[in-house]
């Protein structure tokens, strides 16, 4: 197929509740929605999850918009594309910037699946009818406030709860949750808030029987993660450290962790996510699909990824209402007894709510 036109929508979608991490507090999810249209008039959709500032990776939304407009999209417009796998070669001269690349990759996979009259999950090799849902909770003002939040989501049916932590908002907060919910699948996400000198603080978390501690150290510090994992009984999960298949191989060889959080946006799209998942499954590394506070378009790609075999833990894929007053898809994503149904319609399996998209679009670029 040939891509004949593209549209980029910079969207500021209000969050239902502020979301706090060790890096700051978000009140809206600011992202880029990409639409790609082929010569037959079919359209595929992808999302660039880069934040407004580069606190998570080197990318931020403003730079991603320029890269998409000036480099990535011109490389594919009016080119004959047989499979989305071709993008890796077409983009090989452009280093990193995985979230911008992921928007193109997922939009092409959406188009590819629609041409094949397949669901996105089926097109990439997924075989699940439902995926396990977990929820991520930002840093709260007190342990009691955190317990109340957790109680709400447990009652809603979420099977795993992830709690954001940082120094001085960690052990007492998590212990309060563990005391109230002794059997809960509970994990902590540090977003690189600790250093190896914080070993005693992190070792103390072992007694809480967490299923994992996610990304305690800096993203580029695989070596010290390996040292830390040897000191802890709790499995380490790497997130920001894993930006491609080579990073997953390094984690395995160094022993830097036992679990990988595969985020479709962070690794550059569904193509690379599949590669990491296949390697992890072959080498006994547990995986789950993480989220980027994405809208329904990003979440649809996450559901498809989580439908692959080898995703062994509940995923950061929540109902649309967990984060947004209104999502940009229709119907919105809902929870069913702690699970989310994998769409069976062609492509991402959802329509787009253009009223919401136009209401919150702050800039549009057409190519």
């Amino acid at each position: 197929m040939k891509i004949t036109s593209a549209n980029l929508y910079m969207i500021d979608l209000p969050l239902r509740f502020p979301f706090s991490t060790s890096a700051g507090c978000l009140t809206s999810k600011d992202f880029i929605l990409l639409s790609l249209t082929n010569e037959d008039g079919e359209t595929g959709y992808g999302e660039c999850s880069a934040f407004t500032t580069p606190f998570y990776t080197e990318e931020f939304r403003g730079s991603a918009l320029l890269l998409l407009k000036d480099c990535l999209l011109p490389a594919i417009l009016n080119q004959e594309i047989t499979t989305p796998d071709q993008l890796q070669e077409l983009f090989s001269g452009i280093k990193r910037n995985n979230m911008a690349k992921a928007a193109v990759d997922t939009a092409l996979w959406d188009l590819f699946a629609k041409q094949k009259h397949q669901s996105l999950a089926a097109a990439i090799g997924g075989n699940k009818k439902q995926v396990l849902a977990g929820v991520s909770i930002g840093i709260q003002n007190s342990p009691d406030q955190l317990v109340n939040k957790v109680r709400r989501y447990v009652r809603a049916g979420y099977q795993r709860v992830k709690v954001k932590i940082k120094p001085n908002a960690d052990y007492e907060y998590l212990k309060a949750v563990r005391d109230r919910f002794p059997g809960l699948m509970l994990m902590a996400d540090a977003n690189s808030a600790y250093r190896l000198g914080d070993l005693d603080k992190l070792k103390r978390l072992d007694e809480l029987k967490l299923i994992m501690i996610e990304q305690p150290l800096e993203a580029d510090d695989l070596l010290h993660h390996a040292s830390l994992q040897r000191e802890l009984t709790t499995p380490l999960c790497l997130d920001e450290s894993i930006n491609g298949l080579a990073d997953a191989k390094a984690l395995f060889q160094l022993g830097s962790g036992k679990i990988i959080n595969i985020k479709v946006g962070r690794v550059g799209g569904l193509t690379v996510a599949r590669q990491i998942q296949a390697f992890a499954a072959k080498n006994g590394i547990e995986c789950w699909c993480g989220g980027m506070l994405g809208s329904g378009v990003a979440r649809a790609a996450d559901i498809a990824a989580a439908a692959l075999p080898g995703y062994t833990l509940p995923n950061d894929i929540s109902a649309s209402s967990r984060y947004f007053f209104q999502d940009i898809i229709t119907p919105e994503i809902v929870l069913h007894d702690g699970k989310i149904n994998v769409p069976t319609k062609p492509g991402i399996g959802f329509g787009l709510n253009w009223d919401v998209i136009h209401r919150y679009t702050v800039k549009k670029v057409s190519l």
Side-chain angles (χ1 to χ4, degrees):
M1 63 180 169
K2 287 186 179 181
I3 305 302
T4 57
S5 64
N7 288 296
L8 296 159
Y9 303 84
M10 294 183 73
I11 297 173
D12 295 352
L13 191 62
L15 293 174
R16 184 180 289 270
F17 306 104
F19 192 84
S20 296
T21 74
S22 60
C25 183
L26 300 174
T27 57
S28 66
K29 174 54 185 174
D30 304 341
F31 62 98
I32 301 170
L33 173 68
L34 169 66
S35 70
L36 298 178
T37 302
N38 67 14
E39 70 270 36
D40 296 323
E42 287 186 305
T43 301
Y45 299 98
E47 182 168 322
C48 174
S49 297
F51 295 98
T52 304
T53 60
F55 73 88
Y56 179 71
T57 68
E58 77 286 351
E59 287 181 86
F60 60 99
R61 188 173 63 163
S63 69
L65 182 73
L66 289 175
L67 187 73
L68 283 160
K69 179 175 68 74
D70 295 343
C71 299
L72 299 182
L73 294 176
I76 66 166
L77 283 172
N78 298 308
Q79 298 294 316
E80 192 66 42
I81 297 175
T82 305
T83 169
D85 293 333
Q86 288 177 243
L87 285 187
Q88 288 193 289
E89 182 178 349
L90 288 171
F91 293 164
S92 61
I94 300 170
K95 303 301 182 185
R96 300 286 289 254
N97 290 281
N98 287 343
M99 286 186 272
K101 292 177 180 177
V104 184
D105 177 270
T106 52
L108 278 180
W109 272 111
D110 185 24
L111 266 176
F112 180 78
K114 287 170 178 173
Q115 281 194 325
K116 299 290 186 180
H117 305 289
Q118 290 181 309
S119 69
L120 183 57
I124 67 170
N127 60 3
K128 298 174 187 172
K129 294 182 179 180
Q130 293 181 311
V131 298
L132 299 175
V135 68
S136 179
I137 299 177
I139 295 171
Q140 303 299 303
N141 293 326
S142 69
D144 287 343
Q145 188 175 345
L146 176 60
V147 168
N148 289 334
K149 283 265 189 182
V150 171
R151 182 183 295 112
R152 180 188 312 164
Y153 294 118
V154 169
R155 288 174 177 171
Y158 287 100
Q159 298 193 16
R160 186 229 67 206
V161 172
K162 178 169 85 173
V163 174
K164 298 286 186 178
I165 62 169
K166 64 180 180 180
N168 301 318
D170 43 25
Y171 177 81
E172 296 299 335
Y173 287 69
L174 292 167
K175 186 176 186 304
V177 175
R178 177 53 79 214
D179 288 346
R180 177 63 183 81
F181 302 98
L184 178 66
M185 293 182 70
L186 179 64
M187 61 175 286
D189 183 7
N191 291 116
S192 303
Y194 296 82
R195 299 296 178 265
L196 203 57
D198 296 314
L199 177 61
D200 288 343
K201 292 179 181 178
L202 293 168
K203 287 188 73 169
R204 196 179 183 198
L205 301 182
D206 275 341
E207 70 183 69
L208 301 177
K209 300 190 184 305
L210 306 175
I211 59 171
M212 70 187 85
I213 301 170
E214 184 179 355
Q215 199 66 48
L217 308 179
E218 289 285 358
D220 59 358
D221 200 351
L222 287 174
L223 201 59
H224 282 157
H225 273 106
S227 298
L228 179 61
Q229 181 65 90
R230 290 192 290 271
E231 296 287 341
L232 301 178
T233 58
T234 305
L236 293 184
C237 169
L238 294 194
D239 174 2
E240 292 97 321
S241 295
I242 310 299
N243 293 288
L245 180 59
D247 294 329
K249 291 180 176 179
L251 172 147
F252 177 68
Q253 291 171 0
L254 293 171
S256 304
K258 300 178 181 179
I259 302 170
I260 296 176
N261 171 357
I262 302 177
K263 288 181 178 173
V264 174
R266 190 193 68 243
V267 303
L270 290 164
T271 301
V272 180
R274 288 200 307 170
Q275 294 171 354
I276 296 171
Q277 175 270 329
F279 173 82
K282 183 178 179 181
N283 291 282
I285 302 169
E286 291 200 273
C287 290
W288 54 285
C289 183
M292 300 279 294
L293 295 180
S295 82
V297 170
R299 215 165 290 247
D302 293 342
I303 293 170
L308 288 164
Y311 282 75
T312 53
L313 295 165
N315 308 281
D316 264 354
I317 306 173
S318 307
S320 294
S321 60
R322 159 66 181 96
Y323 295 111
F324 306 115
F325 297 102
Q326 280 187 292
D327 206 339
I328 68 168
I329 58 168
T330 180
E332 295 193 349
I333 296 168
V334 296
L335 199 67
H336 302 280
D337 297 323
K339 302 178 180 70
I340 291 173
N341 292 333
V342 177
T344 57
K345 295 180 179 179
I348 61 172
F350 298 93
L352 268 67
N353 188 330
W354 287 103
D355 287 341
V356 174
I357 291 169
H358 292 316
R359 187 183 317 154
Y360 296 110
T361 293
V362 296
K363 184 176 182 178
K364 179 183 176 183
V365 176
S366 298
L367 284 83

